Amino acid sequence: MRFVLTEDQRDFGGSLDALLSGADTVGAARAWAEGDTAPGLELWRRLAEQGVNALVVPEEHGGMGATAVELVVAFEALGRHGVPGPWVESAAYLPLALADADLLAALAEGAVGTVAEAAHAPYALDAEVADHVFSCTGTTLRTATRGERLRSVDRTRHLTTLVAGDPVPGADLGAALESAVLATSAQLLGCGERLLDDAVAYVKQRRQFGREIGSYQAIKHALADVRIALDFARPLVLGAALGEVPAAAAKVACADAAYLASRTALQVHGAVGYTQELDLSIWITKVRALVTAWGTPAQHRAALLETLVAAAGTPVEA
Amino acid sequence: MDLSLSESELAFQAEARAWLAANVPAEPLPSMDTEAGWKAHQEWEARLAEARWAVVSWPREYHGREASLVEWVVFEEEYYRAGAPGRVSQNGIFLLAPIIFDHGTREQQDRFLPSMATGEQVWAQCWSEPEAGSDLASLRSTARRDEARGGWVLNGQKTWSSRASFAHWGFGLFRSDPEAQRHAGLTYFLFPLDADGITVRPIAQLDGEAGFAEVFFEDVFVPDSDVLGAPGDGWRVAMSTAGNERGLSLRSPGRFCAAADRLVDLYRSTVADGATPAATETAPAHVVDAWLRAQSYRLYTWGTVTRLAAGGDMGTAGSVNKVFWSELDIALHETALDLLGADAEVESRWLDGYTFSLSGPIYAGTNEIQRNIVAERILGLPREPKGAGR
Ligand SMILES: Cc1cc2nc3c(=O)[nH]c(=O)nc-3n(C[C@H](O)[C@H](O)[C@H](O)COP(=O)(O)OP(=O)(O)OC[C@H]3O[C@@H](n4cnc5c(N)ncnc54)[C@H](O)[C@@H]3O)c2cc1C
């Protein structure tokens, strides 16, 4: 029993953090929002070199065959740095949903893929930059072509409707969905951590009424609650990665915690937090989008409840 | 990263499960805050100790089985899963004993630990005073040196002392140096509650039972052999207890996981019965949230256990923990009452649990104080200008 990251897993997270801290991820996100995807795709390429895209692609198809734990470590870093692009789709969902060896190898190498999953993610993310576009309805995976463009609350997320084409042989669509939900949870956790960091840094230097606003208890308690919410969302992400709890549990907790982080970060910043110019806006809007991406909290709660109620033999004597 | 138990841990788990299945009383014991319930709980503690399940992590000579931290958590999980009674000895075994192990003399260990393990001597924590709650360091009860008799003379008043109505011994802080500032000059004492000069006055709690008491001290003599740690060092000694109280020991995850499982069962049965209106509106989401928060607490605890086993300490994580479990406990029980609909006001195990849960954000350091600690010591935010609430 060792419920902490191994040294290798921590090193992997650390190396991604270092790479992303040194790359202008905010610049890439802002450019992406304006329709210039070149810096974001350059970042994509560099992350692919680190193996992020290949993590859960099976080894026989050129992947790393890593566990879901490495996947969540990577997605927390992507969230923390606000990296744009269809990462969940390319690196978490499609590697498990597809059966085609060539496609899997291409994804592992860094090809961009996207997918719309009717029940949980009905609009395809960033289809305009995708080399491979799929749609999934029920238990059928199909090729797809781009339809209408929609605007997301997160300006770095370009959504489109899809027109479904021919069925393609799918692998394990259930596992793919779990993986996408888990990756989104980890991304939310990373966003929440970033929002808290930025909020803490700000309240330590902003002064009103003659002292740092961070010395006021109303501010302290709000931020302490964010710390507590994130601290208790993380074990569900890691627990879900180990199969202890469904990914839905992680998604509900991370969505709640990250959303609390975003609301609190905005509030403690005051008006400047309400501007697009401040980088905080990148994470505030991303969290709102991710709260409903890959299944709304209501959907996940309902699914969890169904599982719990159906599970026979929970101890009644307690 | 993995959550699997080793062969020997699995064997330990199986042994605990089997013993509990064979020994846990079929009917819940009466409340430990009543005369009859107290006796029944003491008998249960004796039975646990006899089978070496009372204090699994302690040395064998003190009724323990030298269990590892992992085994301890495993035992707690099994204990609550089996629906075993609340621990009347918890103040002693979880709050005081770690301090006696760390700061007590060998003589004190031999004298106090075995009878604590068997439930023969039940201990009460006498920290709070009428004027010293959250601001514990402002306490006024005094200890005056009596060189001739080789000890100290206690005067003053303690309050909100859980289980003191029936308990045998108390542990608490007294101001032994009136000149010293706040945290300095406090000394940690152990005293029998039937000592000359001690008066215990029970106080009824929200549910009407005398769950805590005021304790008055009038020239109570305590020999040097009952001072815990060095005179004047009481604050430091006491703060190591506070970490235990907020952290792992008092609120092991098994309690919440077991309650969450019962909540799912309650949901299942109320839905099957034709849902109450509350059950069809907000309750389903609350059931899920209570369940997943209990799971989160369980997994978080395994993370803490891993770090502690690797030589780390609880540190300020106890404060994060405390706010979380106390709010979870209320949410769990509120949800159950929602499901019960009109029957929620009728006496039941859920209602008892709910009433007790309401005190969670108050005792063991209020949640406001814990949030201050999280903000100042974990997030590094500036202290309150007047130094309040550390
Ligand atoms: C069921 C129960 C069992 C207990 N058992 C024991 C026991 O066995 N032994 C024992 O010694 N004590 C015990 N206590 C007492 C407990 O430790 C105290 O109640 C607690 O420390 C708070 O002190 P207080 O009640 O005096 O409240 P106060 O300190 O007066 O606080 C009242 C309110 O003000 C808030 N407040 C105070 N200071 C600040 C601040 N700086 N910033 C923001 N808010 C603040 C508090 O959070 C609280 O909401 C028990 C209490 C309960 C309810």
Side-chain angles (χ1 to χ4, degrees):
Chain A
M1 204 293 304
R2 248 189 81 80
F3 194 56
V4 290
L5 294 179
T6 63
E7 205 171 313
D8 283 349
Q9 288 162 344
R10 280 203 312 271
D11 288 349
F12 175 55
S15 71
L16 293 182
D17 252 332
L19 185 159
L20 293 169
S21 300
D24 177 16
T25 56
V26 165
R30 288 191 180 281
W32 196 282
E34 298 306 322
D36 173 10
T37 52
L41 290 174
E42 168 59 19
L43 205 53
W44 184 281
R45 195 188 55 72
R46 290 180 59 195
L47 287 161
E49 279 168 12
Q50 298 293 308
V52 173
N53 304 57
L55 282 174
V56 294
V57 175
E59 271 167 304
E60 66 265 31
H61 299 310
M64 317 227 309
T67 70
V69 177
E70 282 78 19
L71 187 75
V72 302
V73 167
F75 273 85
E76 182 176 347
L78 295 175
R80 184 190 290 272
H81 293 276
V83 177
W87 281 102
V88 172
E89 294 71 12
S90 296
Y93 185 87
L94 290 174
L96 298 177
L98 290 170
D100 182 301
D102 292 339
L103 271 176
L104 286 169
L107 285 175
E109 293 264 301
V112 183
T114 194
V115 62
E117 203 264 9
H120 300 89
Y123 309 115
L125 179 61
D126 300 318
E128 77 280 9
V129 296
D131 308 309
H132 307 283
V133 182
F134 298 92
S135 79
C136 171
T137 317
T139 52
T140 313
L141 193 65
R142 292 170 188 274
T143 58
T145 51
R146 300 165 187 84
E148 192 190 336
R149 272 289 282 267
L150 303 164
R151 199 171 145 151
S152 164
V153 56
D154 174 1
R155 297 175 62 257
T156 70
R157 286 169 60 89
H158 303 149
L159 303 177
T160 49
T161 60
L162 294 184
V163 181
D166 298 328
V168 292
D172 189 341
L173 296 182
L177 178 60
E178 277 283 294
S179 174
V181 172
L182 184 61
T184 308
S185 308
Q187 206 180 348
L188 276 162
L189 188 62
C191 291
E193 290 286 356
R194 173 57 172 261
L195 285 156
L196 178 60
D197 279 354
D198 283 4
V200 165
Y202 184 75
V203 304
K204 281 188 194 171
Q205 53 92 18
R206 171 71 172 170
R207 297 175 68 89
Q208 291 289 279
F209 301 99
R211 53 174 166 127
E212 302 91 341
I213 58 173
S215 68
Y216 292 109
Q217 206 176 62
I219 302 267
K220 278 186 185 163
H221 286 194
L223 293 172
D225 280 337
V226 174
R227 178 70 273 151
I228 294 165
L230 292 169
D231 276 356
F232 281 91
R234 170 167 285 106
L236 287 173
V237 173
L238 294 172
L242 294 179
E244 273 291 301
V245 289
K251 178 81 199 297
V252 169
C254 290
D256 279 1
Y259 189 65
L260 180 70
S262 77
R263 288 285 321 276
T264 307
L266 170 57
Q267 186 65 21
V268 304
H269 274 80
V272 72
Y274 197 68
T275 64
Q276 197 181 89
E277 194 181 318
L278 196 76
D279 290 343
L280 194 71
S281 62
I282 291 172
W283 286 274
I284 292 175
T285 53
K286 188 175 299 298
V287 164
R288 187 54 255 179
L290 293 181
V291 163
T292 47
W294 289 100
T296 67
Q299 265 176 307
H300 286 303
R301 284 190 168 96
L304 268 174
L305 187 58
E306 207 173 303
T307 321
L308 291 176
V309 170
T314 53
V316 284
E317 76 273 27
Chain B
M1 168 146 238
D2 82 283
L3 275 159
S4 48
L5 298 176
S6 69
E7 289 285 313
S8 68
E9 287 158 355
L10 286 169
F12 176 92
Q13 180 182 49
E15 191 186 345
R17 188 174 292 177
W19 187 87
L20 289 162
N23 287 278
V24 167
E27 286 296 310
L29 303 184
S31 162
M32 66 176 82
D33 301 328
T34 60
E35 191 101 41
W38 182 268
K39 275 204 63 177
H41 278 82
Q42 259 189 297
E43 280 161 18
W44 167 248
E45 292 290 329
R47 203 142 119 222
L48 277 175
E50 200 188 336
R52 295 188 181 276
W53 294 114
V55 284
V56 292
S57 59
W58 290 17
R60 291 179 185 279
E61 54 183 312
Y62 299 148
H63 301 285
R65 43 175 85 208
E66 278 155 32
S68 69
L69 198 54
V70 170
E71 288 169 337
W72 179 75
V73 178
V74 165
F75 174 72
E76 292 280 300
E77 281 192 345
E78 294 303 323
Y79 189 87
Y80 288 101
R81 199 199 305 264
R87 303 292 303 271
V88 71
S89 294
Q90 63 180 14
N91 278 347
I93 59 187
F94 296 139
L95 303 186
L96 178 60
I99 307 300
I100 295 189
F101 278 117
D102 286 355
H103 301 268
T105 61
R106 179 68 205 212
E107 186 272 331
Q108 287 172 331
Q109 293 170 358
D110 288 344
R111 189 151 54 99
F112 293 124
L113 294 172
S115 60
M116 187 187 290
T118 58
E120 191 187 333
Q121 306 286 354
V122 177
W123 289 75
Q125 182 190 38
C126 299
W127 285 15
S128 303
E129 297 183 5
E131 302 300 326
S134 301
D135 187 10
L136 182 64
S138 71
L139 60 86
R140 295 177 181 176
S141 294
T142 60
R144 185 165 35 80
R145 184 72 198 149
D146 185 336
E147 207 59 66
R149 282 199 284 170
W152 300 78
V153 177
L154 308 186
N155 276 286
Q157 180 190 352
K158 298 288 177 178
T159 189
W160 318 132
S161 195
S162 292
R163 287 170 286 284
S165 310
F166 300 103
H168 311 96
W169 278 73
F171 55 98
L173 290 173
F174 289 75
R175 191 166 295 287
S176 52
D177 180 356
E179 307 297 312
Q181 287 295 308
R182 283 171 60 84
H183 302 87
L186 300 177
T187 298
Y188 203 122
F189 292 97
L190 311 176
F191 38 82
L193 287 172
D194 61 0
D196 278 352
I198 289 185
T199 310
V200 176
R201 196 180 73 79
I203 305 172
Q205 298 185 339
L206 276 189
D207 62 0
E209 308 287 4
F212 45 31
E214 305 180 274
V215 185
F216 297 90
F217 298 79
E218 207 177 325
D219 291 334
V220 177
F221 179 74
V222 178
D224 284 337
S225 55
D226 292 349
V227 171
L228 190 52
D233 198 27
W235 184 259
R236 196 178 61 88
V237 174
M239 284 308 109
S240 40
T241 336
N244 288 317
E245 182 170 16
R246 275 170 223 146
L248 273 179
S249 55
L250 260 191
R251 295 296 168 255
S252 50
R255 292 166 53 107
F256 304 109
C257 290
D261 286 343
R262 286 198 295 124
L263 183 65
V264 171
D265 283 337
L266 181 66
Y267 178 77
R268 207 186 269 129
S269 59
T270 50
V271 167
D273 284 357
T276 59
T280 58
E281 288 161 21
T282 54
H286 291 167
V287 171
V288 172
D289 284 351
W291 179 86
L292 73 84
R293 285 164 71 191
Q295 291 299 314
S296 165
Y297 188 66
R298 175 175 73 90
L299 293 165
Y300 180 91
T301 301
W302 284 123
T304 308
V305 165
T306 307
R307 278 186 295 276
L308 289 176
D313 62 24
M314 271 307 277
T316 41
S319 296
V320 171
N321 231 7
K322 200 260 152 164
V323 174
F324 190 81
W325 66 245
S326 57
E327 292 186 347
L328 164 59
D329 202 24
I330 293 182
L332 264 167
H333 288 91
E334 278 177 347
T335 306
L337 297 189
D338 274 357
L339 290 171
L340 289 170
D343 281 336
E345 75 164 284
V346 179
E347 234 183 348
S348 71
R349 182 161 174 208
W350 283 115
L351 192 58
D352 288 348
Y354 166 76
T355 308
F356 180 65
S357 77
L358 290 179
S359 65
I362 299 173
Y363 72 86
T366 70
N367 284 11
E368 286 72 27
I369 299 301
Q370 304 314 316
R371 287 186 170 95
N372 286 352
I373 294 173
V374 172
E376 292 173 8
R377 303 216 201 133
I378 299 180
L379 300 180
L381 297 183
R383 296 277 287 263
E384 298 267 329
K386 291 210 99 175
R390 291 161 317 271

